[in-house]
Amino acid sequence: MLNFPYLRPQNELSGNGGGLSTVWLKDRQALVLRKTRPGFDAPTIRTITNILAAIDRGELNEIRYLVYDFAHGAREAPRPAEGFGDIAAENSELIVDTPVITLAWARGLMSGPDFDFAMHCSAIVAEKSAQFSFSGDPVDLLGLYAAVGRTLGFVKAERLMACDTALTAEEARDLLIVRDVVEPQAGTTAIENYLAQFGRRYNASHAIFRAQRMVQPVVDRRSLAALERI
């Protein structure tokens, strides 16, 4: 059994990835993973892999919510390290076999693998300052295209990919990419306030998210990797 040091009341601890830290919100049963660097480097992927595996094994059964706090500001996400597709898929499937709801908390610019990973959470919550960009190398955006296409349909996804303008939080909500838009707040205040309201309908939300994931299976990253080699 892995002995994670993350589950301590209101303590922020450094993760193995230099731009990744954790905050345990005991009253909300929420583990917040705050990313202060864009993208997914190898240490970040390794840390998230370990946490997802521990949840799947039932070792962190206190958790109801796993919140990815994308707090890297307006910087573009670089190409992710090897293993990114695997953790995106594992994160997507977590809702099926565990009681954990995954939320992506968007504060600034969401692009590339950050946007891609957020689309593999149960839902995205965006602060009003957030933006959602489809810019980048089309080959690197195959995963994002597939995830958005699964949600909106591939015709709409193709049009969005061809657009150079980033979506605002409200525009992304209108397209059903974002579930809710909230006012920006420092630290984890906005997250705590949101979960205080969201938690009242936890059971219904979990059932809905689980059903959605079961009828919308995870994108097969092996097929995307094969396309990249062509």
Side-chain angles (χ1 to χ4, degrees):
M1 178 180 294
L2 293 174
N3 182 23
F4 283 104
Y6 304 115
L7 305 190
R8 298 176 184 170
Q10 299 292 353
N11 282 350
E12 185 165 346
L13 306 163
S14 296
N16 292 331
L20 185 69
S21 62
T22 61
V23 181
W24 171 234
L25 305 178
K26 183 178 181 180
D27 291 344
R28 304 299 172 213
Q29 293 181 269
L31 180 61
V32 180
L33 275 63
R34 178 177 296 157
K35 287 174 74 276
T36 56
R37 294 179 185 172
F40 288 78
D41 59 13
T44 296
I45 289 174
R46 184 165 56 249
T47 299
I48 294 176
T49 296
N50 290 339
I51 292 174
L52 293 175
I55 293 173
D56 193 51
R57 291 193 298 266
E59 294 174 10
L60 299 177
N61 53 18
E62 302 96 330
I63 296 176
R64 275 192 170 188
Y65 304 98
L66 183 57
V67 183
Y68 297 94
D69 183 4
F70 292 86
H72 55 258
R75 292 174 290 172
E76 291 272 355
R79 191 168 193 175
E82 184 177 354
F84 171 75
D86 291 334
I87 66 165
E90 290 165 11
N91 184 70
S92 181
E93 288 292 305
L94 198 66
I95 189 71
V96 176
D97 300 314
T98 76
V100 177
I101 293 174
T102 56
L103 296 175
W105 194 271
R107 295 181 187 263
L109 179 65
M110 301 294 288
S111 66
D114 287 327
F115 191 1
D116 187 347
F117 190 86
M119 290 295 298
H120 286 80
C121 291
S122 300
I124 301 174
V125 181
E127 296 187 353
K128 287 187 175 180
S129 54
Q131 292 184 305
F132 297 83
S133 172
F134 295 90
S135 65
D137 188 327
V139 174
D140 294 338
L141 295 176
L142 284 173
L144 176 59
Y145 170 68
V148 173
R150 184 180 58 188
T151 301
L152 303 181
F154 288 98
V155 173
K156 280 189 177 180
E158 183 178 354
R159 290 173 180 170
L160 287 171
M161 300 294 283
C163 180
D164 293 332
T165 304
L167 298 175
T168 66
E170 288 84 358
E171 288 170 338
R173 180 187 56 196
D174 292 343
L175 287 170
L176 305 181
I177 291 173
V178 165
R179 178 186 176 90
D180 291 304
V181 177
V182 300
E183 292 289 341
Q185 290 181 280
T188 60
T189 303
I191 296 173
E192 292 182 77
N193 291 340
Y194 183 81
L195 291 179
Q197 299 297 320
F198 189 84
R200 297 173 185 173
R201 54 184 189 276
Y202 163 80
N203 290 332
S205 296
H206 184 276
I208 291 170
F209 290 144
R210 185 173 184 270
Q212 288 174 344
R213 185 57 63 220
M214 292 177 71
V215 300
Q216 293 181 329
V218 176
V219 174
D220 188 346
R221 296 283 177 151
R222 292 169 299 179
S223 298
L224 298 180
L227 285 174
E228 290 180 3
R229 292 194 294 268
I230 294 177

